[in-house]
Amino acid sequence: MQDYPVFLYALYAWLALAIVTFPVLLTITAPYGRHTRQGFGPMINNTLGWIIMEFPSLAVFAALFIMGEPAKSPVNWIFFGIWVVHYAQRTFIFPLRQPNKHKQMPLLVAGSAIFFNLINATFNGFYLGTIEPIYTPEWLMDPRFIIGVLFVVSGFIINIQSDSILINLRKPDETGYKIPKGGMYRFVSCPNYLGEIMEWTGWAIATWSLPGLAFALWTAANLIPRALDNHRWYHSKFDDYPAERKAVIPYIV
Ligand SMILES: NC(=O)c1ccc[n+]([C@@H]2O[C@H](COP(=O)([O-])OP(=O)(O)OC[C@H]3O[C@@H](n4cnc5c(N)ncnc54)[C@H](OP(=O)(O)O)[C@@H]3O)[C@@H](O)[C@H]2O)c1
């Protein structure tokens, strides 16, 4: 990365910003979903919002990876596959599975997510497509690759299973909230976030890269405060909420 000083310094700044943002987000509740409230400007359709805010991650990462001039190793293509599978699911399948098609979200939330996604996709796509195209085949046997991919796969399964449990709580066009049960909900209030954090932590370990680390830190900085907000919200709404459930990390947080 020394040959790309602008990339490197921008990445250091982005890493530092993730660390600074975490305590700030502990004091701000993002105004979407159950925390939606007035005063955050124009609203857009929730399904459309999810598609337009996640598509840049898919498109920019794929374009930068494929357009990067050096020949890519098979290991790089495995990383490409992980990113594309995750973001194809998040961009198209997840929003279209939502039961309430009339729900709205603030345009501001979609806009800030687009910004966040564009930057992370740029760092990771350019890194894997141009800067570090040659992970040798030996990397497949490296403990960092094996442990990282195990985290990615188990996180992906937990994330999809947990989102599916939420989706199945409502009938079409229902809007109320129920206590989710089963799967990793036995342990935490937001296992979908736990799965997401595991995926990108695994990505950071498997790629053993600063762009991967930055994305994992940003994901945790976004989702741990959100999980704490959701956890407090469940306790305030349901008297019979399971007392042993933690917010996002089983037995710990
Ligand atoms: N990488 C990142 O930084 C990042 C950031 C944000 C989200 N994500 C991922 O995107 C996905 C969705 O995130 P989210 O923040 O929207 O998750 P969420 O707050 O858990 O909501 C997911 C869906 O389930 C519904 N829902 C939630 N709790 C419910 C309950 N108790 N009863 C009935 N329905 C319920 C929500 O409806 P309402 O909308 O009506 O509340 C929404 O449609 C997750 O998999 C998350 O990991 C990733």
Side-chain angles (χ1 to χ4, degrees):
M1 271 194 291
Q2 311 306 328
D3 295 340
Y4 297 89
V6 174
F7 180 91
L8 189 60
Y9 291 124
L11 187 52
Y12 285 150
W14 186 237
L15 272 162
L17 193 59
I19 293 162
V20 172
T21 301
F22 178 64
V24 175
L25 288 182
L26 285 171
T27 66
I28 299 171
T29 303
Y32 73 91
R34 77 198 74 202
H35 305 290
T36 300
R37 47 204 189 275
Q38 296 301 311
F40 287 89
M43 309 284 279
I44 54 164
N45 176 271
N46 186 69
T47 306
L48 180 66
W50 272 99
I51 292 172
I52 60 171
M53 71 189 182
E54 300 299 323
F55 184 68
S57 244
L58 183 60
V60 169
F61 177 89
L64 285 174
F65 183 90
I66 290 166
M67 282 166 19
E69 275 182 22
K72 318 299 184 285
S73 79
V75 183
N76 286 66
W77 282 106
I78 292 174
F79 292 138
F80 177 83
I82 290 172
W83 189 284
V84 167
V85 167
H86 174 92
Y87 274 104
Q89 196 284 131
R90 173 71 67 237
T91 305
F92 300 113
I93 300 173
F94 171 77
L96 295 172
R97 290 179 72 206
Q98 295 302 313
N100 183 350
K101 302 288 180 235
H102 305 292
K103 200 165 57 180
Q104 304 266 298
M105 72 157 69
L107 189 56
L108 184 69
V109 169
S112 51
I114 289 172
F115 173 73
F116 164 78
N117 283 336
L118 277 176
I119 295 185
N120 283 307
T122 300
F123 280 131
N124 283 276
F126 189 72
Y127 179 80
L128 289 171
T130 297
I131 297 182
E132 199 61 65
I134 305 292
Y135 283 92
T136 61
E138 287 73 51
W139 189 249
L140 292 172
M141 288 301 157
D142 191 290
R144 288 166 290 186
F145 179 82
I146 295 168
I147 292 167
V149 168
L150 281 175
F151 261 73
V152 170
V153 173
S154 41
F156 187 69
I157 293 168
I158 290 172
N159 178 263
I160 303 254
Q161 184 205 35
S162 310
D163 276 341
S164 299
I165 289 173
L166 292 181
I167 287 167
N168 290 327
L169 285 175
R170 288 178 177 158
K171 298 192 182 69
D173 287 330
E174 234 180 38
T175 53
Y177 292 89
K178 298 167 193 164
I179 300 178
K181 298 200 169 95
M184 293 295 285
Y185 286 98
R186 276 172 288 165
F187 303 103
V188 290
S189 295
C190 299
N192 50 350
Y193 297 168
L194 168 67
E196 186 96 23
I197 292 168
M198 285 173 66
E199 278 182 70
W200 299 114
T201 304
W203 172 267
I205 297 170
T207 60
W208 206 248
S209 67
L210 278 182
L213 175 66
F215 192 25
L217 287 179
W218 269 104
T219 302
N222 274 330
L223 294 184
I224 292 174
R226 181 80 180 174
L228 293 170
D229 282 336
N230 288 355
H231 187 65
R232 280 190 287 268
W233 180 92
Y234 275 122
H235 276 284
S236 73
K237 296 287 172 196
F238 297 100
D239 292 336
D240 55 341
Y241 197 69
E244 69 287 357
R245 237 180 242 191
K246 294 288 184 183
V248 63
I249 301 177
Y251 307 111
I252 299 174
V253 180

